[in-house]
Amino acid sequence: MKKLILSMALIGATTLAFGQKKVVRSAEKNFKSGDLKEALTEIEAATADPETSSDPETYLLKAKIETKMFGSDSTNTMQNYEVGKTALSTYMKSFEMGGADKTTGIGEDIWEEDIIGVPDNLRPYSINTLKNTSFDKAIERYNEGDQEMAYYFFDLAGEIAPEDTTIHYNAGFLANDQEMYEEAKKHFNLLLDVEEYNKLNTYYFMVQILSGAESNPEGAYDMVMAAREDYPEDKILAEYEIQLLLQLNKMDEAMASIQEALKNDPNNASILLRSGYLKEKSGDMEGALTDYKKSVEADPDFYDGNFYTGALMLDRAREILAELNSLSDDEWEKRSESMGKEADGYYRDAVPYFTKALEIRPDNTDVMEVLFQVHTRLKNEAEADKYNKRLIELKGPNWMEGGL
């Protein structure tokens, strides 16, 4: 009797195992025929059964079904993205269960190279099929102006292919553009780890994120120094270095970097401007004015160069007038005419620089106000009236505040 019971139990277990394998075969048949909903229902039953849930092939089939469902949905929404994420998770579960070796057994099937452009029945529906499908969805979303979903689909593809520089650059670029800075850094850092990759633009992005969005000039400076080891001749990195040293109040180091940069690029308007700025901060006004003027000579359309040159000239004029007003009555009588002319000379010299600055940024009301005040001081009534009318148009009749 005991043997009979054991035999019956064995027959029952065998029948049950055979039944679950039959479910897996049915799921595969439905997968191939395109009845994906039924295929998924069947394979989920198989993954819940002890007889088939321990087989990595079961999960590979489930991942293939999920990948096909992912690709067949052209809505390319967040819900569709989640299907792709689930498929990736299922592939990885199968891979780990099968020994996590890409070169043999089921690992080789999971990572089989996808063949693009062949009939659907010839595609392997491997993890690389998922990657390529997600990449295509990212491009479609980007072309339709949906940058957020474009990012997520690139990100999914990038999880599968950490070595694919095109995917990670696109993902990083889109994340940065949407102010998703942690996500952007994730992808850019992957690019920095690729030895043969041209990392220059990636360094630019990282420096901008660290110095701007994250207000971390120390981190940005360290990134610039790492970048300059790879690209020692790059002029933009040299400018970043100087700018960050100024932010960190490392004036001596900044001036040394400026002088070195100007040896290699003596007509760099931005570096000349920073040289002038450092000299102004140290009290060397003549040297500062010289460098500001040089920045405009190097690039006549450089707004900052024009503005800083004009502004320093106005400061010099104000200093002269302040000194004049501090004199005793007798000294004031003696020197007021000569000092007034000297101050007016600086006002006149400033006019072309502010005029050019306004030409570069024609709606800048701050510059208009300066020009109105300077022309008023110089009694250029027609010019002052011109700027007054423009300011009234832009700011209303009560725009006027203060004066020179």
Side-chain angles (χ1 to χ4, degrees):
M1 179 62 71
K2 186 180 290 186
K3 286 184 179 180
L4 179 60
I5 292 171
L6 288 172
S7 298
M8 292 298 292
L10 182 61
I11 292 168
T14 304
T15 303
L16 183 62
F18 178 78
Q20 287 305 316
K21 289 179 180 178
K22 185 177 180 182
V23 169
V24 172
R25 286 198 297 273
S26 178
E28 184 169 13
K29 181 180 177 183
N30 284 319
F31 162 70
K32 290 178 178 178
S33 68
D35 189 352
L36 301 177
K37 187 175 179 179
E38 181 63 24
L40 185 63
T41 299
E42 291 172 330
I43 203 66
E44 284 179 341
T47 59
D49 188 274
E51 294 298 329
T52 46
S53 63
S54 60
D55 187 349
E57 291 284 356
T58 303
Y59 288 93
L60 175 56
L61 178 56
K62 183 173 184 285
K64 288 183 175 186
I65 294 167
E66 290 163 342
T67 297
K68 201 168 192 178
M69 294 179 81
F70 174 67
S72 64
D73 181 353
S74 62
T75 60
N76 298 342
T77 60
M78 182 60 76
Q79 185 176 2
N80 179 228
Y81 161 78
E82 292 295 342
V83 174
K85 286 284 287 184
T86 300
L88 175 58
S89 177
T90 310
Y91 277 120
M92 296 312 297
K93 183 176 180 66
S94 176
F95 184 56
E96 289 161 11
M97 290 173 67
D101 184 349
K102 293 183 181 182
T103 62
T104 60
I106 194 169
E108 193 172 5
D109 294 335
I110 291 168
W111 290 94
E112 184 178 346
E113 196 61 43
D114 186 40
I115 306 170
I116 301 172
V118 300
D120 185 72
N121 64 322
L122 296 180
R123 294 188 81 175
Y125 277 91
S126 64
I127 199 169
N128 285 308
T129 307
L130 177 62
K131 178 198 74 174
N132 291 336
T133 303
S134 194
F135 183 89
D136 290 343
K137 286 174 178 286
I139 296 297
E140 187 276 336
R141 285 292 82 203
Y142 180 79
N143 289 337
E144 291 299 317
D146 185 354
Q147 294 199 348
E148 181 182 15
M149 286 312 305
Y151 164 74
Y152 282 112
F153 285 120
F154 276 130
D155 181 63
L156 176 57
E159 285 191 56
I160 298 166
E163 76 290 346
D164 191 313
T165 55
T166 299
I167 289 173
H168 289 288
Y169 183 84
N170 289 343
F173 176 87
L174 288 171
N176 182 69
D177 202 46
Q178 295 172 88
E179 301 181 356
M180 300 163 63
Y181 297 117
E182 285 302 316
E183 290 84 351
K185 287 195 302 180
K186 175 183 77 173
H187 293 284
F188 290 144
N189 278 320
L190 282 168
L191 292 174
L192 294 178
D193 289 338
V194 179
E195 189 171 340
E196 300 302 320
Y197 182 64
N198 184 342
K199 306 175 179 70
L200 189 56
N201 283 331
T202 305
Y203 278 125
Y204 291 162
F205 277 120
M206 288 293 285
V207 172
Q208 289 162 9
I209 291 170
L210 290 166
S211 63
E214 298 190 351
S215 300
N216 180 9
E218 293 89 353
Y221 179 75
D222 291 342
M223 184 65 67
V224 168
M225 291 298 95
R228 295 210 69 190
E229 288 186 16
D230 291 338
Y231 304 96
E233 304 301 320
D234 186 72
K235 295 175 182 179
I236 294 175
L237 290 173
E239 290 185 36
Y240 282 159
E241 179 185 356
I242 294 163
Q243 179 181 330
L244 289 163
L245 286 169
L246 291 173
Q247 286 184 36
L248 295 167
N249 206 31
K250 297 181 178 181
M251 299 303 180
D252 292 341
E253 292 178 46
M255 182 53 80
S257 294
I258 284 170
Q259 291 170 348
E260 185 64 30
L262 288 174
K263 287 179 185 178
N264 299 321
D265 192 9
N267 294 316
N268 186 306
S270 294
I271 296 176
L272 286 164
L273 182 82
R274 291 183 173 88
S275 177
Y277 174 81
L278 274 182
K279 289 176 181 177
E280 183 179 351
K281 289 296 180 185
S282 69
D284 181 6
M285 299 305 175
E286 288 298 331
L289 188 58
T290 297
D291 284 345
Y292 288 155
K293 286 181 176 178
K294 283 182 179 178
S295 76
V296 175
E297 291 168 9
D299 182 3
D301 293 322
F302 183 34
Y303 173 85
D304 288 341
N306 282 284
F307 187 88
Y308 274 73
T309 304
L312 187 55
M313 289 177 172
L314 294 191
D315 286 344
R316 295 294 298 277
R318 292 190 189 101
E319 289 170 6
I320 293 166
L321 294 177
E323 182 185 352
L324 176 61
N325 290 330
S326 70
L327 297 175
S328 66
D329 290 345
D330 289 343
E331 283 295 310
W332 190 92
E333 288 291 341
K334 290 177 186 177
R335 301 178 62 187
S336 62
E337 184 177 354
S338 63
M339 292 180 74
K341 286 182 179 178
E342 185 181 3
D344 285 348
Y346 279 113
Y347 283 128
R348 276 190 292 272
D349 290 345
V351 167
Y353 291 100
F354 283 115
T355 302
K356 183 64 176 179
L358 188 60
E359 179 186 314
I360 297 165
R361 298 185 184 176
D363 292 326
N364 190 314
T365 55
D366 291 336
V367 177
M368 289 181 203
E369 289 185 28
V370 171
L371 284 166
F372 168 80
Q373 293 162 359
V374 170
H375 284 300
T376 299
R377 161 99 192 164
L378 296 174
K379 297 182 173 58
N380 298 331
E381 294 179 5
E383 288 296 308
D385 186 56
K386 177 179 74 175
Y387 292 113
N388 181 43
K389 289 178 179 177
R390 182 70 177 131
L391 285 161
I392 289 171
E393 289 176 11
L394 293 172
K395 299 183 73 175
N398 299 319
W399 70 266
M400 201 177 299
E401 294 178 5
L404 293 178

